[in-house]
Amino acid sequence: MASTSTHFSLSPSLKQHTSIPQPIHFSSLQNPKFLHPQSSFSNNHFPKFSSLSKPLRSPICASSSQLMDPFAAKTEPGIPTIVNVDLGDRSYPIYIGSGLLNKPELLQRHVHGKKVLIVTNNTVAPLYLDKVVDALTSGNPNVSVESVILPDGEQYKNMDTLMKVFDKAIESRLDRRCTFVALGGGVIGDMCGFAAAAFLRGVNFIQIPTTVMAQVDSSVGGKTGINHPLGKNLIGAFYQPQCVLIDTDTLNTLPERELASGFAEVIKYGLIRDAEFFEWQEKNMQALMARDPSALAYAIKRSCENKAEVVSLDEKESGLRATLNLGHTFGHAIETGVGYGQWLHGEAVAAGTVMAVDMSYRLGWIDDSIVKRVSDILKQAKLPIVPPEIMTVDMFKSVMAVDKKVADGLLRLILLKGPLGNCIFTGDYDRKALDNTLRAFSKS
């Protein structure tokens, strides 16, 4: 059965595929100069992670303006590390550092009109809303700021809640020069971004993520949207922010469960494209769980560099960007099946990642050492490695059938293949392996 998806392949020699579509393999930190759908390359053709601080030879790339030593990742308060998302005239910076909400100029340079709407929730607002208002208005009396405070939780990521944002924007008579500001975790960022994309057919917005999940993943790359009762994130738009401001001090108030949830996405980057980063995580997960500032700063920065490079190469998820969804097809089925908000996104992705790795092993694409390492690091991060007991094979299949990666009725999956740091996005796999994985992890 030939796959209907478009694929890349990385192998030791430069060669041409046949005209029959072949699975596309992805490996650590692909350089856009060599990214071609009919070519395959060894890892030797791609830059080591540290070279991300330098411009790649293609005009489309992700770069970092300040390199961070992984074992001494210290920045002075208020001095950001900057990772750039290179999308031509829609490029934008990711500011990363401690105390950045105390630097008004960082936000103000990205506000072009006189009106701002902050979208936040009833958990984050008491902690950081006043600080963000001060940052937007300090020395800037011409700017007026409104806010809308939404209920907190994945179960509120829906059209009814989204309408509250539009209600406030219209009541406040905001115009096309206004700026929306997302202050919160992934739910707030996704909803605020979608509202910005739709209000008056598009207004500027800024991301201020306050969770690990949002800081390392969802705030970067312009994916916005809401859930539908039948599936997660099925309604939305690709819409890029003006900037992402990550004040790492906001993690000091993050609950332990939310902290751990975010590390599922950090682990993902190592598995699909950055083996050195995964090995660093294995050695430093305890420091991350203990909120060591240097370890957190490094993990956030390296995650953002990985995400930024992928987005710059494949903004609309035609191939490469889909690999960022390792474990998400299974994970989204868990979130939908148990009810939005019952399991945190990262918890579901963790269990989903174990299932994707199990299926990869059943297909003979990875060895058992990778299976064990994935299980071990997720346990270190206090994340689940099996789905909830309520999940059945039929529940998984019914939700996965409407997954965004389904093409012409064919479910495409992100699976690991080859050494650590390599993955494949394909619909060309033995269906028995999928069935066996589902039966191994859920009731018939």
Side-chain angles (χ1 to χ4, degrees):
M1 176 179 175
S3 170
T4 60
S5 56
T6 311
H7 301 291
F8 301 106
S9 175
L10 294 177
S11 67
S13 61
L14 184 62
K15 61 183 180 182
Q16 296 294 310
H17 287 309
T18 64
S19 59
I20 299 173
Q22 300 295 313
I24 306 183
H25 303 260
F26 299 90
S27 182
S28 301
L29 301 173
Q30 292 188 344
N31 188 322
K33 178 179 176 65
F34 301 109
L35 190 64
H36 190 282
Q38 296 298 324
S39 301
S40 57
F41 300 87
S42 72
N43 291 343
N44 294 332
H45 289 277
F46 300 102
K48 295 294 185 182
F49 181 83
S50 60
S51 69
L52 284 177
S53 61
K54 304 172 184 177
L56 300 178
R57 282 172 284 182
S58 166
I60 301 177
C61 63
S63 62
S64 170
S65 63
Q66 180 178 330
L67 187 63
M68 188 180 294
D69 182 339
F71 300 105
K74 297 178 181 179
T75 58
E76 295 181 26
I79 300 177
T81 295
I82 303 173
V83 175
N84 294 307
V85 182
D86 196 333
L87 291 169
D89 60 1
R90 291 173 299 108
S91 300
Y92 56 92
I94 306 167
Y95 302 112
I96 306 167
S98 168
L100 299 190
L101 289 179
N102 298 321
K103 305 295 287 184
E105 66 276 10
L106 291 179
L107 283 178
Q108 291 182 18
R109 70 180 59 158
H110 298 286
V111 175
H112 305 301
K114 295 182 178 181
K115 295 185 177 181
V116 175
L117 176 63
I118 300 175
V119 181
T120 187
N121 64 38
N122 52 14
T123 299
V124 175
L127 299 170
Y128 302 112
L129 179 56
D130 288 346
K131 185 180 282 284
V132 173
V133 171
D134 289 345
L136 289 164
T137 59
S138 177
N140 198 18
N142 293 326
V143 169
S144 64
V145 179
E146 302 285 347
S147 63
V148 57
I149 300 174
L150 306 177
D152 184 15
E154 186 80 31
Q155 64 269 37
Y156 300 108
K157 188 179 172 182
N158 55 39
M159 191 65 75
D160 289 342
T161 308
L162 186 70
M163 283 298 157
K164 298 180 187 299
V165 180
F166 294 132
D167 291 345
K168 184 66 177 181
I170 295 168
E171 290 167 4
S172 302
R173 303 194 179 195
L174 301 187
D175 57 31
R176 282 181 168 167
R177 284 183 55 78
C178 74
T179 299
F180 285 13
V181 175
L183 174 63
V187 170
I188 287 295
D190 283 7
M191 285 201 296
C192 179
F194 189 31
F199 183 63
L200 302 179
R201 297 191 174 93
V203 298
N204 290 339
F205 89 107
I206 290 169
Q207 289 270 20
I208 305 179
T210 60
T211 66
V212 174
M213 175 68 64
Q215 291 180 0
V216 303
D217 186 69
S218 63
S219 68
V220 178
K223 274 191 179 181
T224 71
I226 57 175
N227 300 329
H228 186 278
L230 297 179
K232 185 176 167 71
N233 293 334
L234 295 181
I235 304 165
F238 289 99
Y239 196 68
Q240 301 296 340
Q242 296 295 300
C243 74
V244 179
L245 187 142
I246 299 173
D247 188 333
T248 54
D249 292 351
T250 59
L251 299 182
N252 295 334
T253 55
L254 193 65
E256 291 293 329
R257 186 181 172 197
E258 289 274 4
L259 183 80
S261 175
F263 292 141
E265 299 286 3
V266 176
I267 291 166
K268 167 196 72 181
Y269 292 116
L271 290 174
I272 64 171
R273 68 192 317 268
D274 193 349
E276 290 179 4
F277 188 26
F278 186 85
E279 291 163 0
W280 178 88
Q281 293 169 39
E282 289 179 308
K283 298 173 184 175
N284 291 277
M285 185 54 70
Q286 293 306 313
L288 290 171
M289 294 295 289
R291 304 179 198 240
D292 177 86
S294 297
L296 282 173
Y298 177 68
I300 293 166
K301 176 176 179 288
R302 189 145 176 171
S303 296
C304 285
E305 285 178 321
N306 273 291
K307 180 74 177 277
E309 183 164 24
V310 170
V311 170
S312 71
L313 297 174
D314 180 21
E315 180 184 5
K316 299 294 179 68
E317 200 168 290
S318 60
L320 175 63
R321 185 169 180 175
T323 63
L324 297 175
N325 290 307
L326 175 70
H328 285 57
T329 303
F330 298 104
H332 286 171
I334 292 170
E335 290 184 84
T336 304
V338 301
Y340 297 128
Q342 298 303 306
W343 273 43
L344 296 178
H345 177 63
E347 293 170 340
V349 166
T353 297
V354 174
M355 295 177 73
V357 170
D358 176 85
M359 183 175 166
S360 302
Y361 178 69
R362 290 175 188 273
L363 290 165
W365 291 353
I366 58 173
D367 62 45
D368 58 358
S369 67
I370 294 179
V371 178
K372 184 178 186 305
R373 290 172 73 182
V374 171
S375 177
D376 287 348
I377 197 168
L378 290 171
K379 288 177 183 176
Q380 277 195 69
K382 298 180 181 178
L383 287 166
I385 58 172
V386 293
E389 292 185 1
I390 191 176
M391 293 300 296
T392 65
V393 172
D394 286 344
M395 288 172 69
F396 270 109
K397 287 186 173 181
S398 65
V399 178
M400 291 165 72
V402 296
D403 186 85
K404 296 183 295 298
K405 291 175 289 300
V406 171
D408 297 325
L410 181 67
L411 175 63
R412 299 175 296 171
L413 294 171
I414 297 89
L415 301 167
L416 301 185
K417 189 169 186 178
L420 184 69
N422 293 268
C423 67
I424 182 171
F425 176 42
T426 184
D428 189 6
Y429 52 82
D430 186 345
R431 292 307 185 266
K432 291 181 181 178
L434 174 58
D435 289 341
N436 290 337
T437 290
L438 291 177
R439 281 196 292 267
F441 283 87
S442 55
K443 302 174 185 175
S444 298

